[in-house]
Structures are given as structure tokens and as C-alpha cells.
């Protein structure tokens, strides 16, 4: 399971959004991150789509790594609000 969220213009100084994500495997967090966006989003939808793209990249990397070490994974549920 992966969970991701983003705020719109959360930084008062730069108006950039902050994205947070966590990836769980067998009930434990194996990857987590909080990062300020490099661009200013004009709408909540855009901020959320950028966040979804970041978690997709993280999941692809993790899936490739697990396959390489002999532990292939099936579909991953991504929770986005």
C-alpha cells in the first residue's frame, strides 16, 4: 500500500506545495518522504497529480528492486485524497 498527499501553496514564502508519501510493505513503512515542489501549482488537481507521479516513480523503482532480489510484487494500492 502507498499513500500520498499534497497541499496547495502550503509554503507561505514561495507558494509552493509540499508532497508527502509513504510506502508500506508487509505492514511496515519501507519508504517515506516529504518534499517541497520545484514549481508553483495553480490548482489542487495539479499539485495532487504531481504527487501521484512521484509515488508512481518510487513504486516502480521499488518494484524493480524487489523483482531483482527474487521477491516480485503484484499490484500496489495507492491511496490519494
Amino acid at each position: 500500500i502507498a499513500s500520498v498527499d499534497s497541499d496547495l501553496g502550503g509554503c507561505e514564502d514561495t507558494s509552493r506545495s509540499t508532497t508527502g508519501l509513504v510506502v508500506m510493505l508487509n505492514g511496515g513503512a519501507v519508504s517515506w518522504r516529504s518534499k517541497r515542489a520545484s514549481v508553483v501549482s495553480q490548482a489542487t488537481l495539479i499539485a495532487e497529480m504531481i504527487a501521484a507521479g512521484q509515488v508512481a516513480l518510487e513504486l516502480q523503482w521499488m518494484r524493480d528492486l524487489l523483482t531483482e532480489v527474487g521477491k516480485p510484487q503484484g499490484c500496489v494500492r495507492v491511496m490519494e485524497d
Side-chain angles (χ1 to χ4, degrees):
I1 295 177
S3 183
V4 63
D5 195 16
S6 183
D7 66 352
L8 178 62
C11 179
E12 292 179 7
D13 296 330
T14 63
S15 297
R16 293 186 294 171
S17 303
T18 302
T19 296
L21 67 89
V22 62
V23 178
M24 309 284 284
L25 183 64
N26 293 328
V30 294
S31 179
W32 57 92
R33 181 178 343 164
S34 177
K35 182 179 178 184
R36 187 171 298 144
S38 59
V39 296
V40 176
S41 297
Q42 299 299 318
T44 303
L45 174 65
I46 295 169
E48 296 288 348
M49 292 302 292
I50 290 170
Q54 288 177 349
V55 78
L57 291 173
E58 182 75 14
L59 290 171
Q60 185 61 53
W61 177 85
M62 194 164 294
R63 189 178 201 160
D64 292 345
L65 175 67
L66 290 169
T67 299
E68 192 172 314
V69 297
K71 301 288 183 183
Q73 301 295 307
C75 294
V76 178
R77 181 182 308 215
V78 176
M79 303 195 349
E80 167 75 47
D81 68 341

